[in-house]
Amino acid sequence: MASFVPAFLLLLLTLMGGTRPSVSQSTDSADPMCHDWGVFSKGAVSALEGEAAWLSCPLFSHPSVYNYSTQSTGHNLFWYQILEGQDLEQPIRQSSRFCKQRERLWVLPAEAEDSGQYICLLRNKSSCSKIAMRLKVLRRGQATPASSCEPSVAPAPTTALIPLQEGKTLDCPGLKDAASMSDSSPTVNWSHKCNQHPFWNSDRQQRESSLRFYTMVDQYQGLYYCTVHFQRGGKQLNFTRAINVTAINPTRMSKTPVILHPYTDRVFHVKSHSRATLACQAKVPFVVEDPSWDVWWTVDGQTLEKLNDHRFSQSSRVLKDDHMDLTVENVLEIQDFQTEDLQRRFNCSVKNAKGFESRRAVLEEEASLPSVELGCGLGVTLVLMLLLFVVYHVFWLELLLLYRSWFGTDERHTDEKDFDVYISYARNGEEEQFVLSTLRGVLENEFGYSVCIFDRDSLPGGTITDETLSFVARSRRLLVVVSPGYAAQGSQALLELKAGLQGMALGGHLRVILVQFKPVQRQDLVRELRKAQVALALVRWQGDKSRELSSRFWKRLRVELPVRRGACKREGASGTEVALLRLTSQNSTNSQTGLISTA
């Protein structure tokens, strides 16, 4: 009997002149005559298990498919579902859990098994369209809250922008939809940072179901949670949403974009056949009504996309974010910059919904040295520096002596001393022969120094201690010949050494020079000589290698001795007087040598 009624109605329609229903009038979602819009990703819905959820058919918002106000009488809306892990499409019928309301499909409440793909099919007498959406129902353990004391939320938080020092009213997302399904007025609970009603002060307050901000400050930013409770068909239902409240700069501030760099007279220096970079910085205020903005370069009035030249590229980055007022840098890179590019117009532009500004970059070619000449110059400089280093390392003594001969001061004009050098040595045959024949001869005859030797220059009958101290004090240098037998305890050489070190330490008017005649072990030296060897210059005699006047020994010794200019004769003395003095000194030396030998 049930199958007889549709057949009878079909026969009746035919007899009355009607047409048989076509395939496109089928209510099956798999109808090939129905236009398939695919999967609407923006319509995906996430819900928590146990909370109310709903899907809205996007076909109702498309004017070419449906106009609810003018064509509602000829449209039929059908819902289908394909559950997770299944391929079978099943129609959704009105029930206590699935409720159809105009373009919405309510799930009261949602269960984990309801996850899957939902298809809405809109049909009239002449057309058919369908589109799919996804519903994902999360279990309570799958939705992780921001903190342990905050509620779990499945949908992504919405954003609310509130200007600083200004106010705004927030409504819980989905409240109006719930009110249309509820048997009574819904109630809303608000929370923020684990604090529930009443968590606010005079700057923010809940007014009925809304949250009112009277004065926005930075510390009021963050996630706000609202839970909507409503009743439908005897069921107590609820859902929770999150709102991310963000502070922006006050609306009274200027929202016109400004180019910060390049400033008016800024000149970019570029080099031909190299990479050039032009940086543009702009401040872009946030506009609530239309947040879109852009910072870009143009070349000869054309954007880089229209210019279509691979040598030009640009990149942008945000340097600063001040309550969504951005400072943006856009860098234009020009590969293989050509001289002809100097004639082009490079402009940086910035715009937002409140204004536009453009500024031209002034380019100037930077003078550069040819690479070959620059390389040769650097090479020659390095070679000269290396040669100077080698010359100084090898001939530093000669250079120092040359400098002293040109710019050194002759100490004879600055003090009243009688002798240039006082020689202290061990009184034995070998050292005495070295001092009297080698040191004295070269210093006096070749270099022109006045030399004092106690055994030669002291007067008979005098006190050895007094005369020794007098000779040392009247000398500019004390030359100590270090040998194994030098400075035995109680010797005259030790007295001379102590007097020289004391004069050097107290007044600084005497310098002590150590000449090593023979190698000596450090433990064999007296305490005064060990200390002097650490702090004073030591010139080593190397036997036959040091006999030539051009040897290193004599050069080192001349560096330590006073600067001497002029002839080798004593200043103010005639040739006969000099010879007589030398003869007298020689006789005195011979007689004193005999006395020492006899002793």
Side-chain angles (χ1 to χ4, degrees), residues 119-356:
I119 303 169
C120 66
L121 184 146
L122 188 63
R123 176 190 300 281
N124 62 13
K125 294 181 179 180
S126 60
S127 65
C128 176
S129 297
K130 66 176 181 178
I131 193 168
M133 296 157 289
R134 292 196 61 82
L135 172 63
K136 185 174 184 180
V137 181
L138 302 177
R139 298 184 185 274
R140 290 288 175 176
Q142 292 179 295
T144 304
S147 62
S148 58
C149 60
E150 292 179 345
S152 301
V153 181
T158 59
T159 300
L161 305 176
I162 306 178
L164 291 169
Q165 303 302 319
E166 298 182 21
K168 187 174 184 178
T169 300
L170 299 184
D171 290 319
C172 190
L175 176 61
K176 293 182 179 180
D177 296 326
S180 65
M181 283 293 295
S182 178
D183 296 335
S184 59
S185 297
T187 60
V188 181
N189 294 332
W190 291 87
S191 64
H192 175 229
K193 295 181 179 178
C194 300
N195 296 318
Q196 295 184 352
H197 173 74
F199 64 88
W200 38 78
N201 50 29
S202 59
D203 291 335
R204 50 183 178 166
Q205 183 180 13
Q206 182 171 350
R207 301 292 299 271
E208 297 179 353
S209 61
S210 301
L211 180 61
R212 174 65 181 172
F213 286 81
Y214 295 101
T215 304
M216 181 63 187
V217 292
D218 276 332
Q219 54 265 35
Y220 293 165
Q221 296 186 103
L223 286 175
Y224 286 75
Y225 298 92
C226 57
T227 302
V228 177
H229 301 269
F230 66 99
Q231 186 174 359
R232 171 72 178 183
K235 290 183 180 180
Q236 295 294 333
L237 302 167
N238 68 82
F239 58 86
T240 302
R241 297 292 183 263
I243 304 175
N244 186 14
V245 175
T246 303
I248 61 176
N249 283 319
T251 55
R252 62 178 177 272
M253 295 177 61
S254 174
K255 300 300 179 181
T256 305
V258 178
I259 293 180
L260 306 176
H261 181 84
Y263 42 86
T264 305
D265 298 327
R266 173 73 163 88
V267 177
F268 291 93
H269 295 279
V270 295
K271 292 182 180 180
S272 298
H273 306 292
S274 63
R275 185 174 68 93
T277 58
L278 308 180
C280 175
Q281 294 181 8
K283 183 177 181 180
V284 188
F286 180 79
V287 180
V288 178
E289 298 80 8
D290 184 2
S292 62
W293 58 269
D294 195 8
V295 179
W296 72 98
W297 283 93
T298 59
V299 181
D300 293 334
Q302 292 183 318
T303 61
L304 301 191
E305 292 76 11
K306 293 182 179 179
L307 189 64
N308 196 21
D309 190 337
H310 68 279
R311 294 190 302 119
F312 297 89
S313 62
Q314 62 181 347
S315 59
S316 296
R317 61 178 181 137
V318 176
L319 301 180
K320 183 180 178 182
D321 186 346
D322 178 19
H323 296 95
M324 300 189 70
D325 285 358
L326 306 179
T327 300
V328 183
E329 181 183 57
N330 187 301
V331 179
L332 174 64
E333 291 190 4
I334 308 173
Q335 304 292 338
D336 190 21
F337 189 88
Q338 303 294 324
T339 305
E340 296 78 12
D341 294 330
L342 293 171
Q343 310 303 322
R344 290 187 160 186
R345 290 180 290 107
F346 296 90
N347 287 78
C348 174
S349 303
V350 56
K351 73 172 182 178
N352 66 359
K354 294 296 183 180
F356 168 84

Side-chain angles (χ1 to χ4, degrees), residues 574-589:
S574 63
T576 304
E577 291 173 336
V578 172
L580 183 59
L581 286 172
R582 288 182 177 177
L583 180 60
T584 305
S585 299
Q586 185 176 359
N587 293 335
S588 176
T589 301

Side-chain angles (χ1 to χ4, degrees), residues 39 55 77 81 88 105 134 145 174 200 219 224 227 248 350 383 386 395 427 432 445 454 456 484 530 537:
V39 179
L55 299 99
L77 179 63
Q81 68 176 169
L88 181 62
L105 174 66
R134 292 196 61 82
W200 38 78
Q219 54 265 35
Y224 286 75
T227 302
I248 61 176
V350 56
V383 171
L386 181 62
F395 301 102
R427 271 61 176 180
E432 190 172 9
N445 300 330
F454 183 86
R456 182 192 69 178
R530 286 199 299 269

Side-chain angles (χ1 to χ4, degrees), residues 485-545:
Y486 183 82
Q489 294 293 336
S491 65
Q492 182 179 351
L494 181 59
L495 176 63
E496 295 167 345
L497 176 62
K498 290 182 177 180
L501 294 177
Q502 186 177 8
M504 184 175 180
L506 294 179
H509 58 275
L510 176 68
R511 288 177 55 185
V512 179
I513 307 170
L514 302 181
V515 175
Q516 181 177 291
F517 178 61
K518 287 184 178 180
V520 183
Q521 297 295 328
R522 181 174 176 81
Q523 59 270 19
D524 297 337
L525 300 175
V526 294
R527 178 169 56 87
E528 292 81 2
L529 196 56
R530 286 199 299 269
K531 292 182 179 180
Q533 195 174 22
V534 173
L536 302 177
L538 180 66
V539 184
R540 289 182 174 84
W541 173 263
Q542 296 180 339
D544 293 338
K545 291 176 60 178

